[in-house]
Every structure is written in C-alpha cells, then in structure tokens.
Amino acid sequence: MPDTPPPFSAPYAPDDTEIAVRLLQASHLSPPQEARIDRSATRLIEAIRKRDDRLGGVEDMLREFALSTKEGLALMVLAEALLRVPDARTADQFIEDKLGEGDFIHHETKSTAFLVNASAWALGLSARVIQPGETPDGTIGRLVKRLGAPAVRTATRQAMRLMGNHFVLGETIEQALERGRPRSGQKPRYSFDMLGEGARTAADAKRYFDAYASAIETIGKAAGDHPLPDRPGISVKLSALHPRFEAISRERVMAELVPLLLDLARRAQAHDLNFTVDAEEADRLELSLDVIAATFADPSLEGWGGFGLAIQAYQKRAGAVIDYVDELARAHDRKLMVRLVKGAYWDTEIKRAQERGLDGYPVFTRKAMTDLNYVACATKLLALRPRIFPQFATHNALTVATVLELAAGSGGFEFQRLHGMGEALYEQLAKDHPDIAYRTYAPVGSHRDLLAYLVRRLLENGANSSFVAQAADYRVPVSALLQRPADAIGRPQAAAHARIPLPRDLFAPERRNSRGVEFGERAALDRLLADVRGEATELKPIADASPDQADAAVAAARAGFAAWSRTPAAARAAALEQAAHLLESRGAHFIALLQAEGGKTLDDALSELREAADFCRYYAAQGRKLFGSETAMPGPTGESNALALRGRGVFVAISPWNFPLAIFLGQVTAALMAGNSVVAKPAEQTPRIAREAVALLHEAGIPKGALHLVTGDGRIGAVLTAHPDIAGVVFTGSTEVARLINRTLAAKDGPIVPMIAETGGINAMIADATALPEQVADDVVTSAFRSAGQRCSALRLLFVQEDVADRMIEMIAGAARELKIGDPSDVATHVGPVIDEEAKQRLDAHIARMKREARLHFAGHAPEGCFVAPHIFELEEAGQLTEEVFGPILHVVRYRAENLARVLQAIERTGYGLTLGIHSRIDDTVEAIIDRAQVGNIYVNRNMIGAVVGVQPFGGNGLSGTGPKAGGPHYLSRFATEQTVTINTAAAGGNAALLAGEA
C-alpha cells in the first residue's frame, strides 16, 4: 500500500500583502488573451440581462428585493424561519414583525417573473392585513370574519415556498431525479446535495448517513451508462456525519467518521458516481483533509476516479490544499475530482478570527483577492489534468471567461452552477461552447431544511459587491463588471480591507486585543500543548494567614497608599499593560496552573488567560482617560472649576475559585488603576494562581507596598472586611456571603465605604418557535455545561415554547450526550471536574431531589473523582427551582406562546438578574422581553456566557449584584472619590483674559 503524504500543514492566516505580491505577479495575460476574455464575458453578461424568465430566479429576486433594502432583509429573515414555525400565533407575530420592517404595501414590482410577482403579491397582501404596529390579537382578530388569519399565513408561507421550490430540485431524491431528467438535447450533469445542518446528535448523524446512502443507491440506479465525469454525483458534508466534528476531538473523529465516509465512498464507487466531500469552515480544514486522506488511501477505492472534494478560494491556504491533494493523488496513483468554489462562510470566518484574537484572517478580507486567488487556483488545477479533474463552480461571467481562456480550448474540466441560479449565463455558454460541460449543484430536501441554505445563498449572492447582484443591476455598466481583480487591488499593500482591522487591532488605538490560539491549526495547538506540558505545576500547600497577618497586610497597604495614589495615572497604566504582556508571554505556565488547581479544560484556561490580559489593558486605557487629567467644568468668568478622581484608600478584593485568574486580576487591577492600595484574598481553593498573579503584578511595576496577598477561608475574609481602615470591598461570590459582607460594613462606625458585588443568578433562556433548533442546541449546551456549569453566567433554567419543545429538548439532550467528561488536561475533554468534593455532594443531592420531583431527560455518566455529569430535568413550573445550582444541571420548562408574560414574571420572581438568553426571530418579541427584563446581560440568538471585557460589560441586578459592571466604562469610577477644585482667578486684580478680549 503506498504511503499517504504527511498531514496537511500550511500557515493558517498568512499576511495578505505577501500573498498579493505573488498573485499579482502571476496574473498578467497577453493583450490578445485579455481581449478574448472581454468578448466572452460581455456576451455572457448581456445574456444575463436580456433573459426574461417567466418563472424567475435568484437574480430576479435580488433585483426586486435587494439586501440593501428593508424589504430584502425582512424577506431574508422570513425565508429563514417562517416555514419551521408550527403554531398559528407565533407565525402571525413573525409575519407582522417582518412585514412591518419593509414597505411591501407600496412595493411596485419591476419584474415580469411569476416567482417575483407572486411573492410580492402575497407579501403585499399580508402587509395590508397586518399593518405595522398592530398586533395579531387586534388586527387579525377583527379581520378573521372578512379574510381570516389562515389566509394571511397561507399567502406568506406560499411566498416562501415559491422561492424555495426554485432553489430545491426536489424534497426527496426521487423527486429531484424526476425533475432533473433531460427533456430534450444534452443530458445535464447533476451533483445532489442533501440539505441539512451539521449533526448535533448521534441520531442526526445516523439520519444523514442513511439519507446519503439511500440517495447514492437511488442516483446510481438512475445514472445510465455514461462514463465519468459525465455521470451524476453527490456531495456529502463531514459535519453532518459526526456530532463532534472538531479539531479537539480528532482521535474520536478519525476512529468513527473515516469508516462511515469510506462506506459511502464504496457505495458511490459501486455506481461510478462523482462523490464530493464538501468544504467546511477554516478551523475544520486540517481535520477534513485528515479524514479525506485516510479514506482515499483505502485500497478498496483503487481504480475509481470519482472521489473528490471542494476547495474554497477565499481561504488563503487554497493553493496549498491543491498541492496537497495532488500529492495525495500521486501517492496512490489515482484520479481526483476537485470542485473549486469561492466560499460561503466569509462573515463567519471574519468574526471567529476576531473573537479568537488570531494574528490574522484565514480568508481574504477583500473580494477582489478571492477572485484573484480563484484564477490562480484554476490555473494550478488546469495544469494538473488529467490526474485532477477540475470543477469550476461560479456564477461570475468574468471568471467563466477567464477559465475558458486559461484552458486554451482543451477539455478535461467542467463548470458548475447552483440550481436556481446562473441559468442565463450557462445557456449562453452552452451555445457558444457546446463542448464545454457544466454540472448543476442541486439541493434536495424539505422546505424546513432549505431555510438555512436559502438564506446563505441570498447573503452570498445578494451582497452589493457580488457579481450576481451587480449583473442584475442595469445601472452597473458592463465595463465595471469586466474590471480584473488585479486592477481592483492595484498594489500588494491594498490587498487587505482597509476597514477590517486585524484581530489584534480590533480595539485599537485604545488597546490591543488579547492573543488567542486557533485549535484548528495543528501546529499552533501542538505548540501550546507542548508548552503547557513543559510547565511544572506542583501544588504545594499554602498556609492560611492568621487574623494578625491579615491586620498587618491592611496596615501595610494603608502605609503604601499615599505613594501609589500619587503615582501618575500614565505610570499606573503602563504597569498594567506590562502585566498583560507578561501574562501572554507566560501563558503556558498560567494555563497549566489553571488546569492543575482550577480543573480548567484547555479551552477554558486559554479563554481565562485572555480575559485577564484584557482586564489589564482595558482598565489601563480607561484609567488614562479618567485619572490622567482633571475635567474642566463650566462656570462664570474669573473662575476655574475642575473635577478630578482620586483613590479611596485600601481596597479589599475577594475573588472566587471559578475564575481564579481573570476575576482576581480584574478586581485587583481596577482598584490599583484607580489609585488604591489593595489587599487581595483569593478563594481558598485556588491560592496558588493568585500568588503567581500577584508576583507578576509586582514584577510589572506595582510596588509591593500597594499590593498584598492574604490567603485563607471565609474567616480571614471576615477579618478583612471588618477592619476599620479599609476604604472599600470588591467581591465576587455567592449572594449569601455578599449579604454578610454588606451587614459587616453597615455595622462599622466610621466612614461609609462602598461595596462592589457580583453574585450569581438563576439565569434563564427563552426559546420560541421561530428559533433555529440547531442553534438553540449549540447555545444551550455551551451555556449550561461548559466549565461544568461553574460560571456565574451559566444557564440554569430554559423556557421552550411547547409547540417545538419535544424536538428541541431531544436535540439538546442528544448534543449533551456527545460531550466528553474527564481529565481537563486531555485536549478532547469538554466537561472537567467540579471544584471540590463539597461542591460535588451538593450537586449530587440536587440531582437526587430532581429525580424524585422532575422528569429526567438526560443523565450523563461521570467518571470517578470530583466529576458531575450533565443532567437535564423538566419541571412542571419554574418555581420548583428555588436557588442557584452551580453545576452542569439544566432545568427545562415548557410554555405556551400566549403565556410569555408569565414566563417573564417567573424570571422576575427569582429576584436574580444576571444573564438572560433569548432565541427568537421576532424582533418585537425580543424588544418586549428586553424592555421588561431587569437583567444585567441579555444575549439574543447566541450563547449567554463568556462576556468579553470592554465589549459586554458584566454584572447583574437585584440578588445578582450591585454594579457597576466589570469590564465596562463605569467600573473604575466606583473605586474612586471625586474632588472639585474651584479657584477665583479674578482675586488678584481682575480677569485679565476677559479684559484683553474686550479690548
């Protein structure tokens, strides 16, 4: 058996300028070649604009409802969600909400296409019935006798289905094959795509596998006797075949997914079909290629030339991927089919890189660079024929014309288009070049599965910069559509988008973003793991301080206050920025310590390290503004008035064990930046992390007199908070302890000192029938079970609309079942231990009680030790949960759509107000919940943990804390006193400046 090449490796996010230098140099063609490209592309563009399709397609829809208009955006959201809403009430609210956002009533259709006119008519009818601002309870209630609410819903749903039918070849593979049968002339080539989101559960993965297997058999039986490449194909998505298709689960993925993919490939081989593995997001590229390489290497596939994969030209590694798959094909002496696409997840890739704090982007930030790279990749693929059979997927007339010119009249390749798009372009191409084949990429699936696909296509092709949108706009001259990508870029230094900062510069010029690691880049992950394993983390005991030592620390901090408070704000800020630098340079050491002492998984430890660095830099930047100079106040002539902030004195900082580095440093650095001296008492479970953090701050420039560490349990905390010489307390922990501290401070004689407290919460999430179940499952599992549920922000109570509850709960439980529980030093672990045996006993007792009083939907299996597996219980009503349960236990309550107000009442009755999640596509519903909820942090259509410093200031109301929010612009001021200085400048003989001005 031939040796498979070593695993794919290439820089994850290389510099755009360096790539542009190479691509621009290789982009030059001769004047005759450029002239032929212009002529070919012009004919194709003219054909697009002349076409009058009586049915209509995406070009017609984009011309009618551009995504730059309110109508276009409303239409997109309706298409994404309406058909999955089962109940009439929610559907009515959703239709009203979206139609109220656009002017469908007065929309005059410009197209003659039936699809467009029918959709516009139905939407206009619905908009007339449901006027913006009126509620279904009112308007529809009055009009039921005249028209009937079902007619409104039916009209709008039908508009969505009209669109859907044009993009999906069939709801089943049999329908798709029937619809795709040749009616006359040349037999069309198809590649069938079974629609659906990635698998979240084992049942999902099994369903998708069975659908693929069945489709392959059905397609194969109807495939006829043409040889490859003139045979139909199927596209498979690896993330649909495995519920944890992620880099950290590589061993499991290789063991479980490779046999499944090989099974499907053998079935496709038996019918000599084109079998294409679809492209995934950038962080899954290396894992995808590992799976592909292991499958392709199997001897049973020898002699078959139908195996293939998709490569995304917007990825900077596309050229390296082509080199790798060519090496793979050569190593096994087989042919490969390669579909070259531009890429459909650009916005997701940009956001992910920014969130991760990467050095750069894995994709190009300018569309012209993607187009330029596409041509470079096409050139490379054409040169690799016949071992590689290129398949060029594009709706761009200029790209088609360029590929034709590069191919120089030879065959051995094909074009591809999406079903429902590009008909006019490819009809003209077939007339001009009848020998050039093209394949239609045809989605197959239910209207419900269509939704996410349809919206992605509309976003991808409806953006103002896309060729499809511009070609549909007669105001754009043909000459503009013929501009070469190289000319649009101009010079290498302009390769990156000027208005999209690098991830590290996301918050510039105020501060740097903290640096992260992309676990999907094998080299980066391996470096991190090696560095962490190389760190010594022996957990030697640390003695608790005595009351006398605690008193001595306060006295020393008081003595050090004067010098530190007079240190210029710029110098204090510089010390914090140096601390951030030291944290990142010694990241592996702190990650190892967080894992050993805090039980953190690698992902959680890295996130906490980044949060700690962000706190240092954010408070430094805020402190420069707030404490750097006094603020001049308005007043009468002859007088100056200035307001300044000053430190209070000695602050006691009491931090929790669940974020022993980030919250500890957040509290301490805020107090220090405000000019206070600090006595820091960490949680008794995590003193070593605190000791290392204090040593780092001292090294960064914080005087030892200004910062003191006192370790111990709650009794030492009580000594510190009762001390008469402290000027304030900052605390994160339980509501009960916060109450004790508050009473202690209130009982003391002397100055009234501030207390800044952030406590817990019975945090809720509301998911209605418009929410995407897969997204809800992702966000619930992350919010409830990440960090073993040991976050203040973690989800405790999920309210699900009863119409969709069964499916959502089943998916959430299935997704939870796929989590790996165990050793946090294992990179594949999703759920680590709880903090100690006492915490485990409390959680086990609650689980035992819930098993008696509630309905159990899921109980995971925990290994020996301080582990508590995820559990999901369904309650009859929210009042059964009477306290915060600080662990991986989710409680679910069903609610009726008309009883949303009762849900909000139940949340209010808990008395807590820390975090709230909302999953809904109805803006009015979201706004109504936000307006009523007395909650500190509200997250809409995403998870509800992981607040980012300076982006999502964190803190709650009621029993959840005092405010102001940590990581927000009002936080530092609470650590300071205010001083106003008024000077009578006219006291020494008059106001000379005023007199001079009048003269």
Side-chain angles (χ1 to χ4, degrees):
M1 179 176 171
D3 290 333
T4 296
F8 171 79
S9 180
Y12 188 84
D15 181 66
D16 294 70
T17 302
E18 294 177 7
I19 299 173
V21 169
R22 186 176 71 252
L23 294 183
L24 288 171
Q25 288 175 346
S27 67
H28 300 295
L29 299 175
S30 68
Q33 287 179 303
E34 298 285 16
R36 287 193 292 270
I37 291 172
D38 278 348
R39 287 195 296 272
S40 295
T42 300
R43 281 181 59 79
L44 296 174
I45 293 167
E46 289 173 347
I48 293 170
R49 292 186 168 180
K50 287 178 182 176
R51 180 185 176 96
D52 184 14
D53 185 351
R54 295 188 63 186
L55 176 61
V58 72
E59 292 92 342
D60 298 287
M61 291 301 299
L62 293 173
R63 192 178 299 129
E64 199 68 35
F65 299 111
L67 293 185
S68 58
T69 66
K70 291 181 179 179
E71 290 85 3
L73 292 171
L75 186 64
M76 181 184 74
V77 180
L78 267 175
E80 192 271 339
L82 179 62
L83 297 184
R84 67 167 171 264
V85 179
D87 68 301
R89 180 188 178 89
T90 306
D92 292 341
Q93 289 177 322
F94 188 38
I95 293 167
E96 175 201 7
D97 186 76
K98 294 307 153 199
L99 297 187
E101 292 178 2
D103 189 7
F104 289 97
I105 296 175
H106 302 104
H107 185 88
E108 296 181 6
T109 55
K110 300 179 285 292
S111 174
T112 59
F114 171 75
L115 169 66
V116 172
N117 277 295
S119 299
W121 177 85
L123 295 168
L125 169 66
S126 299
R128 285 186 175 88
V129 174
I130 307 176
Q131 290 288 340
E134 296 181 344
T135 64
D137 291 337
T139 303
I140 293 183
R142 290 193 302 271
L143 292 175
V144 159
K145 293 181 180 178
R146 290 172 49 194
L147 182 64
V152 176
R153 289 193 298 276
T154 301
T156 311
R157 288 178 188 268
Q158 192 58 28
M160 299 301 105
R161 287 196 173 91
L162 279 166
M163 287 194 297
N165 281 331
H166 201 66
F167 295 105
V168 175
L169 194 59
E171 292 202 56
T172 65
I173 192 65
E174 290 80 8
Q175 291 177 6
L177 286 168
E178 174 60 28
R179 192 172 169 190
R181 276 192 342 182
R183 305 304 178 203
S184 61
Q186 183 181 11
K187 179 181 179 181
R189 294 181 184 178
Y190 280 98
S191 180
F192 298 98
D193 173 30
M194 311 304 290
L195 285 175
E197 296 288 307
R200 268 60 177 184
T201 70
D204 287 342
K206 176 68 163 57
R207 187 174 70 254
Y208 284 127
F209 176 88
D210 291 343
Y212 285 138
S214 174
I216 289 170
E217 295 303 317
T218 305
I219 295 166
K221 290 175 182 177
D225 54 5
H226 287 261
L228 278 171
D230 191 17
R231 292 183 67 72
I234 189 168
S235 296
V236 299
K237 198 169 178 64
L238 296 180
S239 57
L241 292 170
H242 198 281
R244 299 302 308 189
F245 187 66
E246 58 188 357
I248 64 170
S249 301
R250 183 184 182 280
E251 287 187 18
R252 179 185 170 192
V253 167
M254 295 301 290
E256 297 174 0
L257 179 53
V258 171
L260 296 176
L261 187 64
L262 180 59
D263 185 338
L264 293 176
R266 286 171 176 162
R267 293 169 189 258
Q269 177 193 27
H271 296 287
D272 203 24
L273 302 180
N274 176 197
F275 180 81
T276 302
V277 179
D278 257 336
E280 303 275 353
E281 295 86 349
D283 63 296
R284 292 167 162 175
L285 175 63
E286 292 182 4
L287 181 60
S288 296
L289 292 174
D290 288 348
V291 171
I292 289 168
T295 304
F296 186 70
D298 193 274
S300 66
L301 302 183
E302 189 172 346
W304 173 47
F307 195 97
L309 73 158
I311 296 176
Q312 300 161 317
Y314 72 2
Q315 282 211 41
K316 296 175 181 178
R317 296 175 290 175
V321 175
I322 293 172
D323 293 338
Y324 176 76
V325 298
D326 178 54
E327 187 181 357
L328 199 61
R330 290 177 184 276
H332 299 288
D333 193 24
R334 297 182 202 161
K335 293 183 177 180
L336 264 170
M337 305 179 87
V338 175
R339 174 193 297 147
L340 183 64
V341 301
K342 292 190 178 175
Y345 305 102
W346 180 81
D347 50 343
T348 302
E349 300 289 6
I350 296 295
K351 182 179 181 182
R352 180 182 174 88
Q354 291 177 344
E355 290 175 335
R356 293 255 161 165
L358 304 184
D359 290 333
Y361 294 104
V363 297
F364 296 107
T365 53
R366 287 192 65 187
K367 186 179 180 301
M369 279 296 292
T370 295
D371 292 340
L372 185 64
N373 196 44
Y374 190 98
V375 173
C377 291
T379 304
K380 182 173 284 194
L381 287 169
L382 288 168
L384 296 175
R385 295 172 294 174
R387 189 180 305 279
I388 301 296
F389 181 81
Q391 300 168 304
F392 300 110
T394 180
H395 303 113
N396 187 316
L398 179 60
T399 303
V400 170
T402 303
V403 170
L404 286 173
E405 182 60 36
L406 293 173
S410 58
F413 72 95
E414 70 182 23
F415 286 105
Q416 293 192 358
R417 71 175 182 88
L418 291 169
H419 174 69
M421 293 176 59
E423 290 101 330
L425 186 155
Y426 281 100
E427 283 178 10
Q428 186 64 45
L429 180 69
K431 293 176 184 175
D432 294 346
H433 301 275
D435 55 327
I436 299 295
Y438 73 86
R439 186 182 303 269
T440 300
Y441 184 88
V444 179
S446 69
H447 285 106
R448 190 182 72 184
D449 290 330
L450 159 75
L451 305 170
Y453 171 87
L454 174 57
V455 169
R456 176 52 55 185
R457 297 290 79 77
L458 287 170
L459 280 172
E460 183 184 353
N461 296 285
N464 293 338
S465 61
S466 79
F467 176 86
V468 172
Q470 291 184 338
D473 188 347
Y474 295 103
R475 296 168 296 180
V476 178
V478 172
S479 59
L481 298 175
L482 296 179
Q483 184 187 35
R484 302 301 191 264
D487 295 333
I489 296 160
R491 55 193 181 88
Q493 293 74 17
H497 199 296
R499 293 191 299 277
I500 300 178
L502 289 173
R504 64 171 175 265
D505 298 325
L506 188 61
F507 308 116
E510 185 177 271
R511 62 187 172 99
R512 284 176 66 96
N513 191 7
S514 56
R515 174 173 290 175
V517 176
E518 175 50 69
F519 290 179
E521 182 184 11
R522 187 180 358 253
L525 179 59
D526 288 348
R527 279 195 304 271
L528 178 62
L529 289 171
D531 290 345
V532 171
R533 290 180 187 127
E535 290 293 331
T537 55
E538 186 179 354
L539 301 181
K540 295 180 180 178
I542 294 179
D544 289 353
S546 67
D548 288 343
Q549 289 172 320
D551 288 341
V554 174
R558 187 179 182 189
F561 167 68
W564 177 246
S565 67
R566 292 187 176 93
T567 301
R572 300 200 300 259
L576 298 194
E577 288 168 340
Q578 176 63 10
H581 170 72
L582 292 175
L583 275 171
E584 291 185 332
S585 63
R586 299 171 192 172
H589 175 71
F590 280 98
I591 288 173
L593 200 53
L594 284 163
Q595 292 194 301
E597 187 173 51
K600 301 271 183 175
T601 63
L602 184 66
D603 198 8
D604 278 344
L606 176 61
S607 296
E608 181 161 356
L609 176 74
R610 292 188 61 207
E611 184 178 1
D614 282 335
F615 271 131
C616 292
R617 292 193 178 107
Y618 180 75
Y619 291 143
Q622 289 291 308
R624 279 196 173 94
K625 291 188 289 188
L626 293 172
F627 296 88
S629 61
E630 58 192 21
T631 302
M633 308 300 289
T637 183
E639 182 176 284
S640 72
N641 295 279
L643 177 68
L645 296 177
R646 304 178 62 167
R648 289 180 175 273
V650 179
F651 245 88
V652 172
I654 302 177
S655 55
W657 50 259
N658 64 329
F659 283 91
L661 181 64
I663 293 180
F664 178 85
L665 279 177
Q667 293 178 345
V668 169
T669 55
L672 289 169
M673 187 64 239
N676 302 289
S677 56
V678 178
V679 176
K681 194 209 85 69
E684 61 189 280
Q685 296 92 339
T686 53
R688 299 162 190 84
I689 295 168
R691 183 179 61 184
E692 298 270 355
V694 167
L696 181 141
L697 285 172
H698 286 153
E699 182 182 345
I702 305 297
K704 291 189 176 181
L707 174 59
H708 303 264
L709 179 70
V710 174
T711 57
D713 59 17
R715 289 169 293 184
I716 289 299
V719 170
L720 291 172
T721 57
H723 199 288
D725 290 338
I726 66 168
V729 175
V730 56
F731 168 78
T732 300
S734 71
T735 304
E736 291 72 24
V737 174
R739 285 195 182 106
L740 291 174
I741 295 172
N742 191 41
R743 293 186 186 116
T744 299
L745 295 177
K748 289 195 299 183
D749 293 329
I752 298 172
V753 302
M755 174 183 173
I756 306 166
E758 191 266 286
T759 55
I762 301 179
N763 306 310
M765 179 185 287
I766 302 168
D768 74 11
T770 66
L772 183 66
E774 290 82 2
Q775 187 179 10
V776 173
D778 289 345
D779 293 340
V780 167
V781 168
T782 298
S783 301
F785 304 134
R786 184 170 174 178
S787 310
Q790 299 173 123
R791 291 178 180 242
C792 304
S793 56
L795 171 62
R796 312 296 181 198
L797 184 59
L798 173 66
F799 292 91
V800 186
Q801 187 175 328
E802 66 175 6
D803 306 273
V804 294
D806 286 342
R807 181 163 181 252
M808 282 193 182
I809 295 171
E810 180 184 12
M811 187 174 291
I812 293 164
R817 189 171 283 111
E818 301 305 318
L819 298 174
K820 180 176 180 179
I821 310 164
D823 181 0
S825 66
D826 180 353
V827 69
T829 295
H830 301 108
V831 180
V834 295
I835 189 63
D836 55 24
E837 187 62 36
E838 182 183 346
K840 174 176 165 57
Q841 289 174 3
R842 280 197 304 269
L843 293 169
D844 286 345
H846 180 78
I847 290 170
R849 177 194 147 207
M850 286 291 102
K851 285 182 176 178
R852 295 190 303 269
E853 299 178 7
R855 176 185 175 188
L856 176 66
H857 281 284
F858 173 70
H861 174 72
E864 291 294 318
C866 271
F867 294 94
V868 175
H871 281 68
I872 301 174
F873 294 100
E874 184 176 337
L875 309 179
E876 285 293 325
E877 51 96 18
Q880 290 176 260
L881 186 62
T882 57
E883 61 182 358
E884 180 184 28
V885 180
F886 211 71
I889 303 170
L890 176 67
H891 310 83
V892 183
V893 175
R894 300 172 191 245
Y895 76 93
R896 297 175 64 87
E898 62 268 26
N899 292 337
L900 178 60
R902 295 183 189 174
V903 171
L904 299 178
Q905 286 174 353
I907 295 171
E908 288 171 2
R909 279 197 295 266
T910 68
Y912 291 97
L914 188 55
T915 62
L916 172 67
I918 306 170
H919 268 275
S920 175
R921 297 296 193 266
I922 304 177
D923 290 346
D924 282 351
T925 297
V926 172
E927 290 166 8
I929 294 172
I930 292 172
D931 182 63
R932 177 164 174 176
Q934 295 295 313
V935 174
N937 286 64
I938 298 178
Y939 300 94
V940 180
N941 295 327
R942 53 152 286 170
N943 70 60
M944 48 192 280
I945 62 171
V948 177
V949 175
V951 179
Q952 295 129 3
F954 188 76
N957 309 315
L959 296 177
S960 295
T962 64
K965 288 174 171 289
H970 308 303
Y971 195 60
L972 289 187
S973 299
R974 187 66 174 135
F975 289 85
T977 59
E978 296 178 298
Q979 183 179 66
T980 301
V981 177
T982 299
I983 300 175
N984 179 7
T985 58
N991 187 341
L994 180 64
L995 293 171
E998 286 191 347

